[in-house]
Amino acid sequence: MGRVDLDVVRKVAIFLPPTLGDCVNHLATLRWLSDGLPGREITALSGGLGLGVLTAFPVEGVRVANRDSALKELWLRGRYDLGVFPYVQNKMVRIAKAGRVRQLAGLRGGKHDDWFTFGVEPVLGQHQVLEVCRQLFEHIGIPCPVPVWDLGVARPPARGGPPRVGFMTGASRADKQWPTAKFLQVAECCQRRGCQIFNFGGPGESGALDSLGAVDYAGTPSDFRTTARTLAQMDLLVTNDTGLMHLAGAVGTRVAAVFMVESPAEYFPPGTGHVLLEGDVPVEAVLDAVKEIVGWE
């Protein structure tokens, strides 16, 4: 395995996933890249919700492009010196090769590992965005200080009144979803304790907490910046392992999250003070997490 020659690197392309939560986390790793390679041209390529995140929350020194046009991007903007792949990819690695990218560095485990100038092995038990990028970047010679998420969304000053508790009952896959009936039980208990209840999510979550008269933001067309500002108004988000969990953490809102499938150690959200639970836990465990964060007596 070779070593990336940083002296010849003037143009960098980093290929990111099309998912909300991963790209929220990559807002911190892109800052490592931008700060560590001043004066270089850095392009982040993503698609879907990931592209929306990168566009809504730009990182200084990083331009954003649609990975659906990756080959055109690589050819029209001139030859790139380094392509970075922080998750296992096959198609994008082939496109980078066809696009004449000089050096490739990335997470191993795909079909084209032998094309990498440098590759890292999967980091089991550690964060699958932050630690993978830390390994890649530190090899290249890029410092990786404590990650910082600055989305330009201010949290409101401390206020009195009842706690504002948001709920995200959905998930990207059925196996990642804690039962909606259990979320409803938690929300009912929060309401009895005097909390204001808010419902978040897409069209599939709309109306999930209507029986409680919750303020319903689910299914309402909204840009990511507006959603981030709304999440910043919450004292707590009770959620599955979702992209909104990561967005809430990035704006400083604490979360109580249930990880039905993935490991909390590998996919924990930005920020601190969260309570992360693993598996199909009982309602009481989530209520204990809410109590810890909201401060019920």
Side-chain angles (χ1 to χ4, degrees):
M1 190 184 305
R3 185 169 188 87
V4 171
D5 184 357
L6 195 58
D7 291 338
V8 303
V9 172
R10 295 294 175 267
K11 295 167 67 72
V12 180
I14 180 168
F15 297 80
L16 301 181
T19 48
L20 194 165
D22 285 325
C23 280
V24 167
N25 281 307
H26 275 297
L27 295 174
T29 69
L30 289 176
R31 187 165 285 109
W32 287 344
L33 196 59
S34 178
D35 291 347
L37 295 177
R40 272 74 158 196
E41 180 180 326
I42 300 169
T43 300
L45 296 101
S46 184
L49 297 177
L51 183 63
V53 168
L54 299 178
T55 303
F57 308 108
V59 175
E60 185 176 358
V62 178
R63 62 181 293 272
V64 177
N66 193 326
R67 70 177 196 165
D68 290 344
S69 305
L71 186 57
K72 181 179 178 181
E73 165 75 24
L74 297 177
W75 277 89
L76 290 185
R77 294 190 64 85
R79 193 162 183 181
Y80 279 77
D81 304 301
L82 176 63
V84 181
F85 301 87
Y87 75 109
V88 175
Q89 302 174 68
N90 292 311
K91 180 180 178 182
M92 289 297 118
V93 174
R94 290 195 297 270
I95 286 175
K97 194 75 168 177
R100 305 175 302 164
V101 179
R102 290 184 174 92
Q103 303 177 92
L104 306 179
L107 181 65
R108 299 174 65 85
K111 297 178 180 178
H112 308 300
D113 289 352
D114 56 333
W115 292 354
F116 286 156
T117 307
F118 174 76
V120 299
E121 299 297 330
V123 191
L124 298 179
Q126 294 181 295
H127 201 280
Q128 295 299 292
V129 170
L130 301 178
E131 290 305 321
V132 168
C133 284
R134 189 184 302 277
Q135 283 198 59
L136 286 170
F137 293 174
E138 288 182 345
H139 163 82
I140 295 169
I142 298 171
C144 298
V146 175
V148 173
W149 287 266
D150 182 8
L151 275 58
V153 175
R155 286 184 61 76
R159 54 173 177 75
R164 297 161 65 94
V165 181
F167 286 82
M168 172 57 180
T169 63
S172 59
R173 306 194 316 255
D175 61 344
K176 296 180 71 174
Q177 186 169 338
W178 197 52
T180 302
K182 291 186 175 181
F183 274 110
L184 186 58
Q185 290 181 59
V186 174
E188 288 173 341
C189 185
C190 289
Q191 191 176 65
R192 288 197 300 271
R193 292 286 191 124
C195 298
Q196 291 181 279
I197 307 300
F198 300 81
N199 186 43
F200 288 87
E205 290 74 55
S206 181
L209 303 178
D210 275 1
S211 62
L212 301 179
V215 178
D216 198 347
Y217 293 114
T220 303
S222 176
D223 60 85
F224 283 120
R225 184 162 288 278
T226 299
T227 301
R229 285 197 293 264
T230 306
L231 286 169
Q233 302 289 322
M234 300 295 114
D235 296 295
L236 165 67
L237 180 69
V238 183
T239 178
N240 290 300
D241 168 22
T242 65
L244 282 188
M245 172 190 74
H246 293 281
L247 188 57
V251 297
T253 295
R254 297 172 70 181
V255 306
V258 180
F259 286 71
M260 292 288 288
V261 177
E262 309 290 3
S263 164
E266 295 181 350
Y267 294 98
F268 59 83
T272 59
H274 309 309
V275 179
L276 310 179
L277 305 167
E278 192 168 4
D280 188 4
V281 295
V283 168
E284 290 73 20
V286 177
L287 286 173
D288 285 344
V290 174
K291 178 179 179 180
E292 178 179 336
I293 293 173
V294 173
W296 288 340
E297 294 298 330

